[in-house]
Amino acid sequence: MHSDNRTQPAVHRPAVIVMSDLVVLARQTRLIEEIVSRELVPLVLVGPDTAMDRLRAHMADPAHPLSLMNEVVQVPDPSVDTVLCAVQDWVREYDVKASICCGEVFVDPAGALGELLRLPGPGGWASRVCRDKIMQRTALDSFGPRWRAVAPAERSHAEPPCYPAVVKPAGRMYSSGVRRVDDVEELRAALTQYGPGESVLLEELVEGPEFSVEALVHEGEVLWSGITAKRTNEDGGRFFTEMGHTSPAPGLAPAEEEALLSANAGVLSRLGLRSGITHAEFRLSRGRAVLMEVAARLPGDAITMLWHLATGAPMEPAIVDLALGIKPDYPQPSRRAAQRYLDHDSGTLADVAVDAEGTEVSWIQRDGRWPGAEATDAGAPGRCTAVLMAREAGAVLGEQMDSGARSVSVVGDAPLDADIDALSRRWASAVRVTTRRTDAATQAR
């Protein structure tokens, strides 16, 4: 484990433990700022994917929001035991007030730590189930599709409940390894792509539009819910990569909205989730909201930014409130915001440019921060607020098979009655992604 002790902690100083990685910290710098504004010490635990030299450079820059972090510990893996070993000195030396999870891999240990320290939070059991797809399907069977779980030794004779089906590796995230299969031959071929120790889920393919429901929950009460519409690239192939989000979702009939919100409340109740922000994904199929998965953490991509632009209020103060056991107040949306990922050519990324005046490209990995979101009046004209580059120059771009293969996206907001899709197309058309041809050897790497 790697520890970066920038200051010697004062005994029993109030603190918040944040479990994340640099890629998420770059998006949630406002969370660190919010913690510090309450005179709490942010103690940050990161996983093995974080480049510590880059993180230290950001922390050493007084102009960077991550310079507000006091201590960082890097762990070699996100297991509960590893994390508990890593934070034991913090638990002794600080008065830990909250445990906040900002990344999928830390959902289980963040929940376990909160349970052990009797802190407000989702609860250890709810966190554990949210991190395990097979446990989710077992505990929440009535909310989901037809499914079967397959252990590694059973793959040779595994059969889904029906065709077409979706194959999901049980322990992955970011849509990694998720495939559509239409017959037994495709199923057998798909099952060879997973590691020897990976269990998989075989689920019926649920047809219908996809949504996420973000919720703020305090002591089991859903205080606020928002529905985000999703776009995936499934129509063009066999993958289910998320290519766009719109908050709040446009065009929902009252019955459809009620179906989503009711199903989400039922899922959270069944889990016994206590307090925190949640992110659940559903498909609307024949009027029924079918659960895809639920997470006891902040949503990914730009969804927290979208809700900030839509409601006029950042979500981070409410998230910190819930982690501290305080009942927050969060407004309903008065605008609509969208994020759209762009298609790109295969090859080596050379540059990204924007033709629209006044809009700059934010290189997230290089700079370690997202641009700040600034809300505007409900009736203000539609605007592009950010162009986000998730990869670095020199990265090899190819088919967008999962979230990690995406590159550039645009974010903007508009009045509730505006055509956000048309606006998004216009914002995207102003972005130019330049790639160089990549030879086969480089592409293979």
Side-chain angles (χ1 to χ4, degrees):
M1 299 177 193
H2 177 89
S3 176
D4 185 358
N5 295 315
R6 304 181 67 216
T7 59
Q8 291 298 318
V11 176
H12 302 315
R13 205 174 155 199
V16 175
I17 294 178
V18 177
M19 300 186 193
S20 188
D21 276 305
L22 178 53
V23 65
V24 183
L25 288 171
R27 182 176 68 227
Q28 304 296 162
T29 54
R30 193 185 293 266
L31 188 74
I32 302 299
E33 294 170 335
E34 181 66 25
I35 291 169
V36 172
S37 74
R38 302 187 189 207
E39 299 185 346
L40 299 166
V41 179
L43 305 172
V44 180
L45 184 141
V46 297
D49 292 337
T50 289
M52 289 302 294
D53 55 343
R54 288 196 175 190
L55 180 54
R56 287 193 211 100
H58 299 321
M59 293 172 67
D61 178 3
H64 199 290
L66 295 184
S67 66
L68 296 172
M69 300 192 312
N70 282 56
E71 293 191 54
V72 173
V73 167
Q74 185 176 38
V75 293
D77 66 77
S79 67
V80 171
D81 286 353
T82 298
V83 168
L84 293 181
C85 289
V87 303
Q88 60 183 309
D89 290 340
W90 287 347
V91 170
R92 294 188 182 101
E93 295 166 354
Y94 289 92
D95 179 13
V96 177
K97 298 292 188 182
S99 171
I100 299 179
C101 175
C102 291
E104 179 67 20
V105 298
F106 289 115
V107 167
D108 192 6
L113 178 64
E115 189 82 21
L116 292 169
L117 299 182
R118 297 292 190 265
L119 301 174
W125 174 247
S127 298
R128 178 75 183 93
V129 174
C130 282
R131 185 61 185 96
D132 188 297
K133 290 182 175 64
I134 295 176
M135 290 183 72
Q136 275 190 48
R137 285 291 181 240
T138 304
L140 303 168
D141 182 66
S142 62
F143 294 94
R146 291 181 290 166
W147 61 279
R148 289 194 63 82
V150 181
E154 300 172 341
R155 285 190 202 164
S156 62
H157 55 273
E159 284 294 337
C162 61
Y163 287 104
V166 177
V167 186
K168 297 180 179 179
R172 298 194 200 177
M173 50 193 178
Y174 308 137
S175 302
S176 172
V178 179
R179 301 286 187 273
R180 169 180 171 150
V181 294
D182 289 306
D183 53 42
V184 66
E185 289 77 16
E186 290 181 359
L187 172 65
R188 296 288 174 257
L191 290 174
T192 64
Q193 305 301 308
Y194 307 118
E198 287 190 282
S199 296
V200 298
L201 281 169
L202 305 180
E203 299 178 355
E204 68 170 315
L205 176 69
V206 179
E207 296 184 348
E210 186 169 357
F211 302 87
S212 66
V213 180
E214 287 72 53
L216 302 176
V217 185
H218 179 254
E219 295 181 357
E221 178 188 1
V222 178
L223 303 177
W224 178 93
S225 295
I227 301 172
T228 296
K230 296 192 174 297
R231 291 183 171 209
T232 72
N233 61 1
E234 63 194 86
D235 289 342
R238 298 188 176 276
F239 307 113
F240 297 86
T241 305
E242 292 181 356
M243 299 297 291
H245 311 278
T246 305
S247 306
L252 283 174
E256 294 173 323
E257 184 173 326
E258 173 58 25
L260 288 163
L261 297 180
S262 177
N264 188 63
V267 165
L268 300 181
S269 176
R270 182 73 61 85
L271 288 174
L273 192 134
R274 297 203 301 262
S275 295
I277 185 170
T278 61
H279 169 77
E281 297 177 353
F282 297 88
R283 293 259 181 180
L284 266 181
S285 180
R286 300 181 183 89
R288 178 185 172 225
V290 183
L291 178 68
M292 298 293 100
E293 59 182 82
V294 58
R297 56 162 174 80
L298 282 70
D301 291 343
I303 293 177
T304 52
M305 178 187 283
L306 298 186
W307 285 119
H308 182 177
L309 295 171
T311 65
M315 299 197 85
E316 287 81 2
I319 292 166
V320 176
D321 275 346
L322 291 170
L324 295 171
I326 301 168
K327 187 174 183 178
D329 184 27
Y330 195 70
Q332 293 300 314
S334 57
R335 285 175 70 79
R336 201 177 313 280
Q339 178 183 29
R340 295 288 184 268
Y341 282 91
L342 278 62
D343 292 329
H344 56 233
D345 293 331
S346 295
T348 300
L349 174 64
D351 193 20
V352 178
V354 186
D355 293 333
E357 184 178 349
T359 305
E360 297 182 355
V361 178
S362 295
W363 292 80
I364 307 300
Q365 287 195 31
R366 182 193 68 192
D367 299 335
R369 72 172 90 189
W370 281 42
E374 298 298 333
T376 189
D377 295 335
R383 57 183 184 156
C384 180
T385 61
V387 177
L388 307 173
M389 188 61 218
R391 311 288 291 279
E392 293 187 274
V396 176
L397 305 183
E399 190 173 10
Q400 299 185 93
M401 297 185 295
D402 54 42
S403 298
R406 301 172 304 184
S407 56
V408 63
S409 66
V410 294
V411 174
D413 62 339
L416 284 170
D417 59 358
D419 186 343
I420 196 77
D421 288 336
L423 288 169
S424 297
R425 289 192 294 271
R426 189 176 78 194
W427 301 331
S429 68
V431 179
R432 291 178 287 108
V433 181
T434 304
T435 59
R436 299 190 304 270
R437 185 173 179 178
T438 304
D439 61 53
T442 303
Q443 183 74 48
R445 292 198 296 270

